[in-house]
């Protein structure tokens, strides 16, 4: 509460205006509204959730059925996520004890699909039975990845070096080293580069190994490995239905019950400064009309490319650090869905297409969904193969061009489908080909002019030494806070988890600004095994002495 109320009137609530209604914006609105603040959200899209939203295929539903569920890309919830599941447990969902968090389904396998070869299936969680132990060991022995034993040992030692490196070394040294160089990929075999260097970075963090920071790639890889090795952990969780149905729309309804005013088709087109702070923001509605709105505090949850476009000289004068946002880089990682007449569940989890030039990954979704797909489209669809394309700059196998140089959506579809089919046996490829009835490419991929493709929703990537260019959630503008995946967080990767963590940080800063006595949001660091703490203490001493990590010269 703030201000001195007139006798007989209620005290005026602190008003917070949130710019952007994706995962970060909804997370910030949730935390602030739970603590009694007046919250107003402005989202550009017609559907809540930003990149996480479902994208309903226009005109595909007939006979009273819902349109087919497309998406920007499939949603992936690793076991190390802690902030986002905590929020999800507080979003009510009919029949669920733990809210929408109970709509997360554990994947048990992942598959490495290879061109015209055997496709090893590996476990995606710590084995929980004798049969799973047998399957896990057999899969490793039969995978035949072709990585020379000496190189595999070298890679393991590199992971050990990361685990024993102190935080100072990670930030001061490894942040400035490319994952490609740290793993010495240039001198290693093709299988080593394919599976351990290029494949991991392109498929999991959507960046080139030559550009990705070792601190970021290595830290996330460690978390995924720990998820796999934790007896009660899980590497991979997926939603039990279309994202908007089983998560985002229930979330928006819950925000409304908390008093949040969530506006769609409201694009932020201007941020005004006066008196040493933000005075108002300008909003453009879908009909082209504009208006201004004001608040006591403002939380920008916009992606970096949109925030940069809104920066003004007046804002940079108040906080020169905001100008560094222009240095941050984005890449393309977008999805395409293939709708199948017969469900072809390739594996109970992710498929990584190791030999695909476009770094494809996919999920066969129907096996995880509680609701039958017969309720969507024309009623004949039984399966959805959702494919993420992580490399848009390497020539493909069909048109021999990068995705960015193709002229139409149909060409992108044909190229992706060709790479998918080539990665399986003739029998599986035939089943997929015979079942495919329609498809949908993320609608943020557009052709404003012939032969010119644009991506309206690119993905931030953590390139070498980019940490210094990324801001804290609290800016030098006293009533402006940042909550987006470019904000410095423990998660340190452009993910829904990072967006949620950034929103918690912004919420805490707002609460500090109004001297609220209420509880602050939980913010938790990534956890690593305690057994490595003594090594990190030693490494801190060595780093300050200018000496390398104990394991640096091993292997």
């Amino acid at each position: 509460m703030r201000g001195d109320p007139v006798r007989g009137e209620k005290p005026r609530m602190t008003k917070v205006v949130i710019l952007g209604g994706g995962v970060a914006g909804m997370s910030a609105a949730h935390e602030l509204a739970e603590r009694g603040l007046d919250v107003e959200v402005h989202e550009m899209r017609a559907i809540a959730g930003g990149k996480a939203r479902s994208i309903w295929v226009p005109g595909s539903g007939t006979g009273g059925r819902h349109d087919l569920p497309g998406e920007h890309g499939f949603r992936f919830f690793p076991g190390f996520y802690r902030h986002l599941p905590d929020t999800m447990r507080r979003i009510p969902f009919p029949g669920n004890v733990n809210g929408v968090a109970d709509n997360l389904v554990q994947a048990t396998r992942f598959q490495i699909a290879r061109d015209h070869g055997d496709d090893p299936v590996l476990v995606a969680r710590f084995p929980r039975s004798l049969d799973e132990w047998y399957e896990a060991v057999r899969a490793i022995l039969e995978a035949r990845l072709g990585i020379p034993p000496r190189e595999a040992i070298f890679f393991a030692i590199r992971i050990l070096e990361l685990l024993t490196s102190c935080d100072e070394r990670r930030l001061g040294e490894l942040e400035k080293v490319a994952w490609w160089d740290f793993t010495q990929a240039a001198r290693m075999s093709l299988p080593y580069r394919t599976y351990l260097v290029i494949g991991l970075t392109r498929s999991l963090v959507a960046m080139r190994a030559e550009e990705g920071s070792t601190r970021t790639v290595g830290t996330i890889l460690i978390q995924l490995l720990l998820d796999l090795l934790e007896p009660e952990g899980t590497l991979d969780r997926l939603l039990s239905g279309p994202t908007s149905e089983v998560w985002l729309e229930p979330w928006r309804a819950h925000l409304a019950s908390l008093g949040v005013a969530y506006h769609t088709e409201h694009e932020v087109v201007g941020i005004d400064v006066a008196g040493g702070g933000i005075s108002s923001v300008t909003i453009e509605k879908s009909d082209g009309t504009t208006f201004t709105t004001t608040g006591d505090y403002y939380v920008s949850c916009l992606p970096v490319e949109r925030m940069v476009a809104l920066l003004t000289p007046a804002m940079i004068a108040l906080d020169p650090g905001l100008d560094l946002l222009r240095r941050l880089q984005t890449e393309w990682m977008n999805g395409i869905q293939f709708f199948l007449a017969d469900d072809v569940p390739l594996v109970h989890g992710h498929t990584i297409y190791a030999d695909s030039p476009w770094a494809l990954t996919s999920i066969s979704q129907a096996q995880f969904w509680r609701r039958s797909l017969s309720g969507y489209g024309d009623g004949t669809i039984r399966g959805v193969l959702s494919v993420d394309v992580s490399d848009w700059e390497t020539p493909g196998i069909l048109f021999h061009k990068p995705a960015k140089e193709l002229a139409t959506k149909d060409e992108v579809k044909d190229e992706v489908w060709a790479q998918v089919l080539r990665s399986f046996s003739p029998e599986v490829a035939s089943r997929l080909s015979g079942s495919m009835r329609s498809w949908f490419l993320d609608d943020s991929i557009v052709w404003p002019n012939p032969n010119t493709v644009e991506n309206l929703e690119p993905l931030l990537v953590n390139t070498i030494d980019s940490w210094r260019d990324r801001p804290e959630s609290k800016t030098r503008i006293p009533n402006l806070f940042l909550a987006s995946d470019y904000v410095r967080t423990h998660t340190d990767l452009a993910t829904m988890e990072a967006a949620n963590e950034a929103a918690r940080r912004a919420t805490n800063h707002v609460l500090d600004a109004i001297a609220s006595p209420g509880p602050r949001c939980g913010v938790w660091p990534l956890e690593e095994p305690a057994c490595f703490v003594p090594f990190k203490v030693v490494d801190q001493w060595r780093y300050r002495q200018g000496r390398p990590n104990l394991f640096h010269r091993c292997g």
Side-chain angles (χ1 to χ4, degrees):
M1 301 294 187
R2 66 186 296 276
D4 297 320
V6 177
R7 181 172 296 179
E9 292 184 356
K10 293 182 178 180
R12 186 170 74 84
M13 297 173 65
T14 299
K15 180 181 177 183
V16 182
V17 177
I18 295 179
L19 317 182
V23 170
M26 297 180 81
S27 298
H30 193 158
E31 300 294 349
L32 290 164
E34 278 191 340
R35 289 159 176 80
L37 280 71
D38 181 16
V39 181
E40 179 179 291
V41 181
H42 297 277
E43 163 58 27
M44 178 178 69
R45 297 286 182 178
I47 302 174
K51 290 187 181 77
R53 72 193 184 281
S54 297
I55 307 173
W56 305 107
V57 182
S60 60
T62 63
R65 300 178 188 86
H66 206 300
D67 285 339
L68 290 168
E71 56 191 354
H72 175 77
F74 55 73
R75 300 296 101 196
F76 168 40
F77 299 79
F80 72 85
Y81 280 16
R82 187 173 177 185
H83 300 92
L84 192 60
D86 175 74
T87 298
M88 295 174 79
R89 282 189 285 271
R90 290 182 278 126
I91 304 170
F93 192 89
N96 288 2
V97 175
N98 296 303
V100 300
D102 283 344
N103 291 337
L104 292 174
V105 182
Q106 186 177 80
T108 59
R109 305 289 187 274
F110 70 93
Q111 178 182 38
I112 301 175
R114 301 183 287 198
D115 290 355
H116 307 303
D118 59 329
D119 302 324
V121 175
L122 306 173
V123 296
R125 67 181 185 187
F126 193 85
R128 299 181 181 180
S129 67
L130 187 60
D131 287 343
E132 287 192 2
W133 271 108
Y134 172 76
E135 182 182 348
V137 173
R138 185 186 67 178
I140 293 172
L141 294 176
E142 294 180 354
R144 294 191 294 273
L145 299 180
I147 302 172
R150 182 174 179 178
E151 293 182 3
I153 293 171
F154 175 83
F155 186 81
I157 293 173
R158 276 290 182 260
I159 297 299
L160 187 59
E161 180 178 342
L162 284 166
L163 280 165
T164 57
S165 290
C166 65
D167 290 341
E168 289 182 30
R169 186 185 299 279
R170 292 186 187 188
L171 186 59
E173 179 181 303
L174 300 181
E175 170 69 11
K176 300 176 176 64
V177 177
W179 181 246
W180 178 272
D181 296 329
F182 180 76
T183 56
Q184 298 188 20
R187 70 178 184 87
M188 298 297 186
S189 65
L190 179 60
Y192 176 95
R193 295 196 298 270
T194 298
Y195 296 112
L196 299 181
V197 183
I198 299 173
L200 285 175
T201 52
R202 269 304 189 187
S203 299
L204 298 178
V205 295
M207 70 176 80
R208 298 177 67 245
E210 296 89 340
E211 299 173 350
S213 153
T214 292
R215 187 177 75 91
T216 294
V217 177
T219 297
I220 297 302
L221 179 57
I222 285 172
Q223 291 299 312
L224 295 173
L225 289 173
L226 292 175
D227 285 345
L228 189 59
L229 297 174
E230 172 62 43
E232 298 301 321
T234 178
L235 176 66
D236 190 357
R237 291 171 295 183
L238 304 160
L239 286 166
S240 62
T243 309
S244 289
E245 285 190 0
V246 301
W247 176 25
L248 298 177
E249 285 306 323
W251 198 2
R252 183 178 177 182
H254 182 56
L255 294 181
S257 74
L258 294 174
V260 174
Y262 188 107
H263 304 283
T264 55
E265 298 184 285
H266 278 201
E267 181 179 1
V268 180
V269 295
I271 302 177
D272 304 308
V273 173
I278 305 301
S279 58
S280 65
V281 295
T282 303
I283 307 294
E284 182 176 311
K285 300 169 70 173
S286 58
D287 61 5
T289 60
T290 62
F291 68 95
T292 59
T293 187
T294 61
D296 300 299
Y297 297 93
Y298 301 82
V299 179
S300 176
C301 303
L302 301 170
V304 65
E305 69 278 2
R306 290 184 58 204
M307 186 61 186
V308 165
L310 292 169
L311 292 176
T312 64
M315 293 174 66
I316 294 171
L318 291 174
D319 187 348
L322 292 175
D323 203 33
L324 297 177
L325 292 178
R326 304 182 194 278
R327 298 184 183 179
L328 300 180
Q329 298 181 32
T330 58
E331 294 279 2
W332 292 21
M333 186 178 187
N334 302 72
I336 180 171
Q337 292 76 51
F338 296 97
F339 300 103
L340 311 176
D342 296 310
D343 187 26
V344 185
L346 301 174
V347 68
H348 195 260
H350 280 83
T351 296
I352 299 173
Y353 297 78
D355 296 326
S356 66
W358 286 7
L360 306 181
T361 51
S362 74
I363 288 287
S364 299
Q365 292 183 318
Q367 61 188 320
F368 298 100
W369 290 3
R370 295 171 184 166
R371 178 180 172 185
S372 170
L373 278 162
S374 62
Y376 302 89
D378 63 2
T380 65
I381 299 302
R382 296 294 180 269
V384 182
L385 184 66
S386 186
V387 182
D388 279 0
V389 182
S390 298
D391 188 335
W392 291 73
E393 298 180 351
T394 299
I397 64 173
L398 190 62
F399 299 104
H400 307 291
K401 292 181 179 180
K404 287 183 177 180
E405 294 182 9
L406 295 182
T408 66
K409 290 188 176 185
D410 288 272
E411 288 186 353
V412 174
K413 179 267 295 184
D414 290 342
E415 178 66 54
V416 172
W417 195 234
Q419 292 185 30
V420 167
L421 296 182
R422 194 177 76 166
S423 300
F424 295 107
S425 67
E427 294 77 16
V428 173
S430 177
R431 287 185 63 198
L432 286 169
S433 181
S435 295
M436 203 263 279
R437 293 294 179 268
S438 61
W439 55 276
F440 176 77
L441 178 66
D442 178 9
D443 62 5
S444 65
I445 303 297
V446 297
W447 279 260
N449 300 298
N451 302 316
T452 303
V453 60
E454 293 183 7
N455 187 349
L456 302 180
E457 294 183 288
L459 178 72
L460 175 79
V461 292
N462 294 357
T463 53
I464 303 166
D465 205 19
S466 61
W467 178 265
R468 63 178 178 176
D469 298 327
R470 292 163 55 195
E472 299 288 349
S473 177
K474 182 179 181 180
T475 74
R476 294 185 182 180
I477 302 175
N479 64 341
L480 174 66
F481 304 99
L482 306 176
S484 188
D485 54 19
Y486 60 79
V487 171
R488 292 180 177 181
T489 61
H490 294 306
T491 310
D492 193 34
L493 187 68
T495 58
M496 299 180 294
E497 174 76 353
N500 184 275
E501 181 187 339
R504 290 164 177 261
R505 292 172 180 268
T507 296
N508 288 343
H509 289 312
V510 172
L511 297 176
D512 290 344
I514 63 175
S516 169
R520 299 310 191 251
C521 302
V523 176
W524 303 286
L526 297 174
E527 296 182 353
E528 295 181 7
C531 62
F532 293 106
V533 171
F535 292 94
K536 292 179 181 179
V537 172
V538 172
D539 188 63
Q540 183 181 59
W541 178 84
R542 292 179 64 88
Y543 177 71
R544 291 176 178 178
Q545 296 296 316
R547 303 174 68 179
N549 180 276
L550 282 169
F551 296 95
H552 181 68
R553 300 187 186 280
C554 297

